[in-house]
Amino acid sequence: MAKVIIAGGGLSGLSLAWFLKELRPGWEVLVLEAEDRAGGKAWTIIEDGFVCEKGVNGILDNKPSTLALAARLGLEPMRSNDAARHRFVIKNGHLIQLPVSPAQFLSSKILSLPGRLRVLAEALVSKGDLSKDESLADFARRRLGREAFEYLIDPMATGIYAGDPERLSLQSCFPRIHELERDYGSLIRAMIRLQREARKKGKEGPGAGPGGVLTSFATGMNELVDALARTLGPAVRLNSSVSSISKQNTGWRVFLKNGEELEAGHVVLACPVKAVSEALKETAPDIVKLAVKINYPPVSIVCMGIKQGTTENSLNGFGFLAPSSEKRSILGALWDSSIFPGRAPEGYQLIRTLVGGARAPDLARLPDASLLDLVVREFSELVGLKGTPEFVKIFRWEEAIPQYEKGHQALASEIDFALRSYPGLYIRCNWLGGISLNDCVANSERLARQLAS
Ligand SMILES: Cc1cc2nc3c(=O)[nH]c(=O)nc-3n(C[C@H](O)[C@H](O)[C@H](O)COP(=O)(O)OP(=O)(O)OC[C@H]3O[C@@H](n4cnc5c(N)ncnc54)[C@H](O)[C@@H]3O)c2cc1C
């Protein structure tokens, strides 16, 4: 009998297996992955000299978990170029650069003068009712004003969650911002106090945004996946889809779609909601009833390789996001070859555009030709793209990014509570405990320590 079976070989499942092997080298740990490759949403495709990320772009270095794991695996991280500090938002059909400092904000065109003054007045806005699970949109309008919501916060929700800020929960999506209001009464006052404290210690204080430098590896996120899979060796079994699990006297029985049956003392479900619901349909319908409430809209990624000079805009920067008030049919784009070196062959640029998400799920499901047409049309209007791209790859995620909507925290607590009736059964995937890779890896390390002790 295996000690631990992990269903799902994304980075939650792989890192959990790795931490367990580190802590308990003698334990039998098995990762069952449905696909013919491990890595889940972290997946790099290299073709014709273009290094395309199918999903995860990179890791933010403001939390340590993933980069610490990468270092233990002997990997050399690659920080994004300085140009990636230039981020843009569409306003009235034009790309406007986002300010990176309070001084730049004061003279920025991203908000009108009244809009900027309203943001400064945030310091005078009294604390809201913090017991309420407030939407990101309500929070932003209340503290920063309508215009800042539309052109600063709404695009942030798009960039991180491909989500709808009217439905996303501030507390679940951006817990640190919620804490700053709770602890300091105002975000501006919090920033001033924290900057002052940091300066006293000779450190750099927090900025206005989520912070952190995007980091990856020379040949993309696959380096992390491959290093984990290589180290784990036969502990990762591909083409092994879990169909259901059932409780035994002393552990769990795991049923695979190929008819195989395995036994384990502990089972960790490290896969998206649909697969977890399928696996627990008979055994834990109470957990399924809760899990299916999580909205998981689709996103499609259109990767385009274009000859340098075929756009009027030089595409020098991180990329741009589209506020919903601008009514564009794309969520935004990343200028990958400007973010990281070596992403496109000499003389070419690589761009990835996101389509779909919580507000436009149907657009993500358009056929390839219509999807490409739509992106090319947007690019010709927004950055003056002439002609069509020479290299195109379209990637689709039907269950892309789980939405932490209002009520998510209560839902997550209910799931945690329900799991107590199933000793030896755990869930570790990005739909609980944080969507970022850093959160997933940290949550897996925590569970590994819990199991090992
Ligand atoms: C387009 C996109 C871009 C993103 N960009 C970033 C980013 O830049 N930075 C960041 O921090 N996060 C990013 N994320 C979020 C990121 O995907 C997650 O944090 C992380 O990759 C999730 O890993 P996971 O292992 O929890 O889930 P997944 O990666 O979804 O892995 C789940 C695994 O379970 C497997 N599986 C499914 N069903 C079964 C079954 N029945 N049996 C066995 N195995 C099964 C799947 O094949 C998959 O391998 C992005 C997400 C998307 C969709």
Side-chain angles (χ1 to χ4, degrees):
M1 179 161 95
K3 193 87 182 172
V4 184
I5 285 184
I6 301 166
L11 283 170
S12 293
L14 292 177
S15 59
L16 173 61
W18 189 88
F19 287 120
L20 279 171
K21 286 283 192 188
E22 279 281 299
L23 293 164
R24 291 276 181 257
W27 276 16
E28 198 187 327
V29 176
L30 188 59
V31 179
L32 299 173
E33 165 56 45
E35 302 288 331
D36 58 6
R37 74 171 284 279
K41 309 251 165 28
W43 190 341
T44 320
I45 307 272
I46 303 182
E47 226 176 276
D48 299 341
F50 292 99
V51 180
C52 299
E53 294 294 0
K54 223 174 141 163
V56 178
N57 318 312
I59 308 146
L60 285 178
D61 70 352
N62 58 353
K63 286 188 183 174
S65 54
T66 317
L67 288 174
L69 172 63
R72 302 277 307 275
L73 291 162
L75 298 177
E76 190 75 49
M78 185 175 70
R79 281 163 66 95
S80 46
N81 296 324
D82 281 349
R85 285 160 52 85
H86 309 307
R87 294 167 184 241
F88 299 82
V89 161
I90 306 170
K91 187 171 186 187
N92 302 326
H94 298 286
L95 301 195
I96 307 286
Q97 190 172 335
L98 284 173
V100 291
S101 66
Q104 273 188 23
F105 173 74
L106 293 176
S107 58
S108 163
K109 284 189 286 188
I110 191 69
L111 304 184
S112 66
L113 181 63
R116 277 173 279 159
L117 292 174
R118 173 62 185 83
V119 170
L120 295 181
E122 192 272 345
L124 309 173
V125 175
S126 51
K127 245 188 222 182
D129 175 2
L130 300 183
S131 64
K132 249 179 42 189
D133 191 1
E134 196 175 22
S135 77
L136 181 59
D138 284 342
F139 168 84
R141 281 187 293 253
R142 174 170 65 78
R143 293 222 62 92
L144 302 163
R146 183 197 52 79
E147 215 186 317
F149 160 64
E150 276 183 20
Y151 286 99
L152 299 175
I153 305 302
D154 172 293
M156 186 166 89
T158 297
I160 301 175
Y161 285 87
D164 178 354
E166 303 289 348
R167 294 168 64 178
L168 291 176
S169 150
L170 171 81
Q171 211 169 330
S172 299
C173 296
F174 301 100
R176 181 69 186 133
I177 298 182
H178 175 77
E179 284 163 14
L180 291 179
E181 181 178 23
R182 184 195 63 199
D183 298 344
Y184 297 88
S186 137
L187 307 184
I188 292 182
R189 275 185 276 145
M191 252 174 58
I192 294 170
R193 285 266 299 276
L194 292 171
Q195 296 257 10
R196 204 179 292 151
E197 283 164 25
R199 261 199 304 273
K200 265 193 218 153
K201 292 182 196 152
K203 291 185 182 157
E204 211 177 296
V213 174
L214 192 70
T215 304
S216 179
F217 306 94
T219 60
M221 291 303 297
N222 258 17
E223 280 193 36
L224 180 59
V225 174
D226 292 346
L228 280 168
R230 213 170 30 243
T231 314
L232 291 167
V236 181
R237 274 179 51 179
L238 304 177
N239 301 306
S240 302
S241 184
V242 170
S243 55
S244 63
I245 64 167
S246 71
K247 185 88 188 90
Q248 304 291 106
N249 283 340
T250 57
W252 292 86
R253 184 176 287 265
V254 177
F255 300 85
L256 274 68
K257 284 205 177 123
N258 64 11
E260 215 180 321
E261 292 178 24
L262 299 167
E263 288 190 359
H266 303 275
V267 169
V268 182
L269 299 175
C271 35
V273 165
K274 208 159 120 197
V276 168
S277 305
E278 190 59 35
L280 296 182
K281 198 163 61 187
E282 305 292 339
T283 303
D286 52 339
I287 293 175
V288 176
K289 219 166 123 186
L290 297 167
V292 294
K293 291 186 186 167
I294 293 174
N295 179 20
Y296 234 126
V299 168
S300 289
I301 313 272
V302 180
C303 240
M304 301 193 301
I306 57 168
K307 256 207 177 114
Q308 221 147 17
T310 41
T311 48
E312 282 160 21
N313 183 312
S314 64
L315 309 185
N316 186 30
F318 193 88
F320 65 84
L321 289 165
S324 67
S325 55
E326 291 284 314
K327 309 247 176 291
R328 312 300 308 199
S329 43
I330 58 176
L331 297 174
L334 290 129
W335 302 335
D336 279 34
S337 49
S338 170
I339 301 175
F340 292 116
R343 295 286 151 126
E346 194 59 38
Y348 284 85
Q349 288 172 302
L350 179 67
I351 305 158
R352 276 186 315 137
T353 307
L354 277 75
V355 182
R359 288 189 283 208
D362 294 340
L363 290 181
R365 299 190 180 111
L366 284 174
D368 282 4
S370 316
L371 207 51
L372 180 61
D373 270 0
L374 175 154
V375 172
V376 168
R377 205 168 47 243
E378 290 281 25
F379 263 74
S380 69
E381 281 178 38
L382 292 165
V383 297
L385 173 69
K386 296 182 263 312
T388 48
E390 291 187 19
F391 170 91
V392 176
K393 281 264 155 214
I394 296 180
F395 307 120
R396 294 170 184 278
W397 296 109
E398 189 48 39
E399 274 181 303
I401 300 179
Q403 303 291 298
Y404 289 14
E405 296 181 346
K406 272 169 52 171
H408 181 86
Q409 216 164 50
L411 186 67
S413 302
E414 278 185 78
I415 294 175
D416 262 358
F417 187 76
L419 276 166
R420 287 191 211 162
S421 311
Y422 305 93
L425 174 65
Y426 312 86
I427 296 174
R428 271 301 172 281
C429 196
N430 65 352
W431 49 278
L432 291 174
I435 65 149
S436 76
L437 217 51
N438 280 328
D439 289 332
C440 293
V441 172
N443 291 336
S444 288
E445 182 170 7
R446 215 168 292 126
L447 178 60
R449 291 192 184 285
Q450 182 190 326
L451 292 176
S453 65

